[in-house]
Amino acid sequence: MEILAKSGSPFLQSDFVIGVATSSFQIEGDAASREASIWDTFCTLPGKIADGSNGLVACDHVNRVEDDLAIIESLNVDAYRFSISWPRIIKQDGSINQQGLNFYQNILARLKQNNIKAYVTLYHWDLPQYLEDQGGWLNRDTAYAFEKYVEIVSKAFGDNVFSYATLNEPFCSAYLGYEVGIHAPGIKGKQYGKKAIHHLLLAHGLAMRVLRKNAPGVQAGIVLNFTPFYAYSCNEDDVRATQLAHDHFNDWYIKPLLHARYPDLINEIPDAHRPDIHDGDMAIISEEIDYLGVNYYTRAIVKNDGSEDPCQLPAPEGSETTAMGWEVYPQGLTDLLLQLHRDYTLPPIIITENGLASDDHISSDGRVNDEQRIRYLTTHLYAVSDAISAGVNVAGYFVWSLFDNFEWALGYEKRFGIIHVDYETQKRTFKSSAVKLRNILAKRRKILG
């Protein structure tokens, strides 16, 4: 991580943003003060969450927010990226939960007081259950419900927000939630995934128009997760399968935003699997964005095994992997950024999530020595630096995540945080990575003046 304060580093530009990130359902808890979300319901279904847990308490952030904000301030970061819980803002009867709005307004005021930029994500997967009961993201009306929610939030938050992201990783919401069913709401069927993503992207475009009206001076964009795909061999079938994976899982999400159309793949899939596109939809979806958020964790190697779907192979034997079983491959981040740069005329890019899960434990001396995470972050920062040197406009980098938290379908089994959380006591402990980041950012801050 020394590159953050190294002479000549691209990260020493005064306008380059370094931050940490969280999301609402994963840390907030205090479920009694909000409506139920699709994740609350999903957690009650047998076998859906690996450890049988839920997000009712999580990191108890709502009740510990002052202490948690003090932790953020101590890290010397430029920015904090967090998400708003839609079920904490809009009640089932359509009225506003003022207590929920106040919670976030207090966070924004505290961040502003301490000169920490607020990067607000408006949707990080926790759809109100009452909307799922009406069809969720398979119902076009949900996009317009999102528009109304964004209207309320953006008016209330005023100029205390530095940057908005409409959606976080709509691939996960649509594909994992409505096609393969391993995320909430747990719907499974190829006929659903691309319909859901179209309504999510429509919601994004509608929200962008609201943000332009209510917060014209605030950055606004979207966060997509990308996986760079590599062919297992030069065999024509493997190369073709690799391109198919890229079209399905990368281009399907970014091309509508920047080119106002889906990949040509849309003409090859069955009619029943295609989205329901209305006149004017693509113009809304392709509203100009100020930045593109890029989330990166690992790469995938693709082999044509004769099945209908591209076969993504496990991490190569002998490679370093994370606690998720994901290959540690920083070159993939450079390759991804360069590919995006080649394929599209891009707005500035922000690395909105990058990090790893490791098997972190508190030792007898009270420390959490997460050397693998330090190596991971260091090598990936160098990967970003390489992409910048090659001409990619990268304007920020956020570590995922600030805290160990509820890791969706994996419950509390995987720890992504630079801050260790004891879920029994809710005690927070700085891991070695947090200490190192804090110290290097202090040095960086001193250099920047």
Side-chain angles (χ1 to χ4, degrees), residues 105-159:
Q105 287 174 311
N106 289 338
I107 292 176
L108 292 170
R110 172 80 174 264
L111 293 173
K112 190 170 188 177
Q113 179 185 350
N114 287 280
N115 296 313
I116 297 174
K117 296 179 175 68
Y119 279 67
V120 171
T121 300
L122 291 163
Y123 184 72
H124 198 130
W125 310 355
D126 46 354
L127 183 72
Q129 180 60 43
Y130 60 78
L131 289 176
E132 181 58 37
D133 292 340
Q134 300 170 40
W137 290 113
L138 296 176
N139 182 350
R140 185 181 174 88
D141 290 344
T142 301
Y144 294 92
F146 184 71
E147 179 185 33
K148 293 176 183 176
Y149 152 68
V150 174
E151 175 81 28
I152 290 165
V153 168
S154 57
K155 277 186 176 178
F157 291 174
D159 62 358

Side-chain angles (χ1 to χ4, degrees), residues 81 120-123 163-168 219-223 291:
R81 178 179 175 241
V120 171
T121 300
L122 291 163
Y123 184 72
S163 176
Y164 279 111
T166 54
L167 308 175
N168 180 80
Q219 288 185 9
I222 188 171
V223 172
Y291 73 92

